[in-house]
Amino acid sequence: MQVFHTKSKIVITCNKRLSPYLQQEVEALGYKITRSFSTGLELEGTLNDCIPLNLNLRCASQVLYLIKSFEAENPARLYKEVLEIEWEKLLDFTGYFSVSSNVDNETITTPLFANLKVKDAIVDRIKEIKGIRPDTGSDGNKAVVHLYWKEEKADIFIDTSGETLAKHGYRKIPGKAPMLEALACGTIMATGWDKKSPFVVPMCGSGTLAIEAALMATDKFPGLFRMNYSFMHILGYQEEVFFEERRKLKEKAKKDIDFKIVATDISEDAIDISKRNAKTAGVDHLIDFDVCDFADTEVPEGPGVVIFNPEYGERLGVHTKLEATYKRMGDFMKSKCKGYRGYIFTGNPDLAKKIGLKASRRIEFYNGKLDCRMLEYELYEGSKREPKISE
């Protein structure tokens, strides 16, 4: 079972509505996509192909490599089919593995039971052949087996990522209600930012948007911040393949940029957290941080991108204050961001009406389970209409 050199189906998952941006990334790496859907996409490749995917992708969650597809009407059949896989050629019998799953089968009331059946089958097979039971648990930091079971069709994958790729590893201090790194990258890609012009983030919170913009601008990829993936714990793994991919990432990375990335927040704590996260990411020298009210943010001459990720007002009693804040955001963009494209990411359509500007686009996202929109505003230098030429 030479999975590192044998082609099979690869499924790359992502958060809902990030699929179009994930597709751009995967195609830029030279892979041909065979199918895309709302939470991911499929392609063909070897387990070695999963290594650059894990290291390069900003919008992905997991990279899954298919081991076996089969029919399973109930847990007994699931156990039997999993037992037949040659796990002794995939997993170290002295090692550790965990099982994750996505289950929709009428015989299963909790996915934990399905996980247990998969785990039992793997352990029983290895114990019978090797005479030793491998350790198992819920930690995803070693080998991870993933079950996808919908109705009577089941797929068994190696989850080559393990811990989610959606977190990029530099954010040691999350701050208040932070935007997930993968989502931040999707929103930046959705703006069409050219990575050469100013990028301004008032109300920056823990700094995720500004940091991801700096990482994109310098071609620094998430694989530079991580040294452990599930694929490293599969038999046949050659560490030189990983280190070669990592070397390529290091060679691509640039040290400096010749434009401004600006991040401001009224909270000193938020700016302190942002600076520390940016330092961990190695981009603190690329971002102009400032403690101020967002309306006092220094905006470099355009064109450029300005993006807000304000509170959505999910808690009761905060709407009146936020209505004024949303109106002030509109005023700020109108008066100080001429020549820019402005964006406001929000999960509250009622508050969005208070911005006072007409959105040219409404881009759909989810933040967790919350249905959100990123509203785009063209902030023209002068009047949008061309002046009439008198005859």
Side-chain angles (χ1 to χ4, degrees):
M1 199 179 271
Q2 294 292 318
V3 289
F4 282 93
H5 303 285
T6 302
K7 282 198 171 185
S8 184
K9 180 165 79 175
I10 295 171
V11 177
I12 309 172
T13 68
C14 62
N15 283 14
K16 202 170 180 184
R17 292 181 178 155
L18 288 184
S19 183
Y21 313 106
L22 176 61
Q23 183 165 338
Q24 287 177 38
E25 291 190 285
V26 172
E27 287 176 341
L29 290 172
Y31 293 89
K32 186 181 177 185
I33 292 160
T34 55
R35 184 173 83 93
S36 61
F37 47 100
S38 66
T39 56
L41 46 86
E42 290 178 9
L43 54 126
E44 294 281 319
T46 67
L47 210 141
N48 268 341
D49 288 318
C50 296
I51 296 177
L53 291 168
N54 275 286
L55 270 62
N56 281 274
L57 298 177
R58 302 180 196 271
C59 295
S61 295
Q62 314 292 144
V63 179
L64 308 172
Y65 174 89
L66 182 67
I67 295 296
K68 184 180 182 181
S69 294
F70 52 89
E71 298 290 319
E73 65 280 4
N74 55 43
R77 177 71 184 275
L78 174 70
Y79 173 89
K80 178 180 176 293
E81 293 287 347
V82 175
L83 188 69
E84 291 175 0
I85 297 170
E86 294 179 310
W87 294 107
E88 68 280 5
K89 296 181 180 178
L90 290 168
L91 302 176
D92 181 358
F93 62 91
T94 63
Y96 172 100
F97 75 92
S98 61
V99 176
S100 62
S101 65
N102 184 339
V103 176
D104 178 12
N105 178 281
E106 62 181 14
T107 67
I108 298 292
T109 53
T110 168
L112 293 177
F113 182 65
N115 291 7
L116 186 63
K117 296 307 285 185
V118 171
K119 204 176 285 184
D120 285 349
I122 297 170
V123 167
D124 290 350
R125 166 108 189 183
I126 292 175
K127 186 170 183 287
E128 184 179 331
I129 291 169
K130 297 291 186 180
I132 296 177
R133 293 176 64 89
D135 287 338
T136 65
S138 57
D139 288 343
N141 59 358
K142 295 286 178 65
V144 180
V145 175
H146 181 75
L147 165 68
Y148 180 81
W149 189 10
K150 186 169 177 62
E151 295 170 354
E152 294 191 357
K153 186 174 186 310
D155 295 324
I156 293 286
F157 295 91
I158 291 171
D159 176 350
T160 69
S161 307
E163 303 288 349
T164 181
L165 301 174
K167 295 178 180 178
H168 294 167
Y170 60 80
R171 201 166 67 182
K172 306 303 181 190
I173 315 167
K176 181 183 170 187
M179 182 182 271
L180 188 68
E181 292 95 309
L183 175 59
C185 290
T187 60
I188 293 168
M189 290 174 73
T191 70
W193 179 52
D194 62 5
K195 299 184 278 190
K196 296 174 186 173
S197 54
F199 191 89
V200 181
V201 191
M203 303 169 77
C204 70
S206 58
T208 308
L209 280 163
I211 293 167
E212 290 296 342
L215 291 170
M216 286 184 179
T218 50
D219 286 327
K220 288 179 179 168
F221 291 85
L224 291 171
F225 305 107
R226 183 164 163 180
M227 289 298 290
N228 182 51
Y229 297 86
S230 176
F231 61 73
M232 295 175 166
H233 305 280
I234 302 300
L235 294 178
Y237 163 67
Q238 297 169 296
E239 66 175 18
E240 58 267 28
V241 179
F242 167 73
F243 282 108
E244 173 61 17
E245 289 299 329
R246 208 160 183 276
R247 184 188 62 76
K248 290 178 191 173
L249 293 192
K250 285 182 177 178
E251 283 183 358
K252 274 194 280 192
K254 296 180 291 209
K255 285 189 169 63
D256 292 301
I257 55 177
D258 58 2
F259 58 90
K260 284 187 178 293
I261 295 174
V262 178
T264 68
D265 202 286
I266 201 165
S267 162
E268 283 188 31
D269 284 346
I271 291 297
D272 181 54
I273 288 167
S274 295
K275 284 179 175 177
R276 287 198 266 171
N277 287 336
K279 189 169 186 179
T280 306
V283 295
D284 52 315
H285 64 296
L286 303 176
I287 303 170
D288 289 358
F289 290 105
D290 193 19
V291 178
C292 67
D293 182 86
F294 72 80
D296 297 324
T297 301
E298 290 291 331
V299 179
E301 283 193 20
V305 166
V306 57
I307 183 166
F308 285 87
N309 178 30
E311 283 188 52
Y312 312 153
E314 291 175 85
R315 298 188 306 280
L316 293 173
V318 296
H319 266 262
T320 308
K321 188 179 175 186
L322 281 176
E323 283 178 8
T325 301
Y326 274 62
K327 182 184 182 304
R328 288 178 63 226
M329 287 191 291
D331 293 344
F332 168 78
M333 290 196 297
K334 215 169 3 183
S335 63
K336 291 189 72 173
C337 303
K338 290 187 172 83
Y340 272 64
R341 287 196 313 280
Y343 297 88
I344 296 178
F345 187 100
T346 183
N348 191 320
D350 291 330
L351 284 172
K353 292 171 187 171
K354 305 297 178 184
I355 295 164
L357 295 169
K358 186 175 172 58
S360 56
R361 272 202 307 163
R362 296 170 180 269
I363 309 161
E364 296 182 346
F365 287 102
Y366 271 99
N367 192 353
K369 293 184 178 178
L370 194 64
D371 189 11
C372 295
R373 297 291 181 275
M374 188 166 73
L375 308 171
E376 178 181 86
Y377 303 95
E378 297 284 353
L379 307 168
Y380 296 97
E381 281 280 10
S383 168
K384 184 177 175 181
R385 293 189 186 89
E386 291 293 323
K388 287 183 181 177
I389 300 170
S390 54
E391 294 177 0

